[in-house]
């Protein structure tokens, strides 16, 4: 998906929330930001990145079961369904490392 201003491609993301599992938050963000539903893995892959204020991101792989035509942020973001290879070319450099390591799952 694109950032809200449409200037670059990102993974759906959110912040940790008290009382909620991170995987549950990630699943909700995937729905809200990208319009995808599916089974989220409980165990994330953790990556050091420059594109996050925290310096790290947790990526929860999802087995996508449904791709919605309309979703909460569909008017604010663009979405592409592409191969890993194409996605690696779209995202920022530090997210490319995460993409390539996700291929090992």
């Amino acid at each position: 998906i694109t950032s809200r201003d449409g200037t670059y491609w990102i993974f759906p993301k959110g912040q940790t929330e008290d009382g909620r599992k991170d995987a549950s938050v990630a699943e909700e963000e995937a729905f809200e930001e990208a319009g995808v539903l599916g089974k989220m893995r409980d165990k994330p892959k953790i990556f050091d990145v420059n594109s996050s204020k925290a310096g790290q991101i947790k990526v929860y792989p999802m087995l996508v079961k449904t791709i919605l035509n309309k979703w909460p942020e569909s008017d604010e973001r663009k979405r592409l369904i592409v191969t890993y290879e194409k996605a690696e070319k779209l995202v920022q450099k530090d997210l490319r490392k995460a993409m390539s390591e996700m291929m090992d799952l």
Side-chain angles (χ1 to χ4, degrees), residues 2 8 26 28-29 38 48 50-51 55 61 64 72 75 95 104-105:
T2 59
Y8 53 94
E28 183 176 317
E29 293 298 328
D48 294 324
N50 296 323
S51 60
V64 176
D75 292 337
L95 295 181
D104 296 334
L105 295 176

Side-chain angles (χ1 to χ4, degrees), residues 52-99:
S52 169
K53 292 176 188 167
Q56 281 190 329
I57 59 169
K58 290 182 188 178
V59 177
Y60 288 86
M62 172 188 262
L63 174 60
V64 176
K65 295 184 178 183
T66 304
I67 300 170
L68 303 170
N69 291 323
K70 187 77 173 155
W71 64 95
E73 295 184 18
S74 59
D75 292 337
E76 301 173 51
R77 300 179 188 274
K78 292 180 184 172
R79 173 187 69 196
L80 285 177
I81 307 296
V82 297
T83 64
Y84 273 121
E85 293 79 13
K86 174 77 174 178
E88 282 182 296
K89 293 175 183 173
L90 293 172
V91 297
Q92 295 172 327
K93 186 177 180 181
D94 56 353
L95 295 181
R96 286 184 200 132
K97 181 177 185 288
M99 290 291 306

Side-chain angles (χ1 to χ4, degrees), residues 16-29:
T16 58
E17 297 179 18
D18 289 338
R20 290 187 69 193
K21 291 184 178 184
D22 289 348
S24 175
V25 174
E27 189 172 312
E28 183 176 317
E29 293 298 328

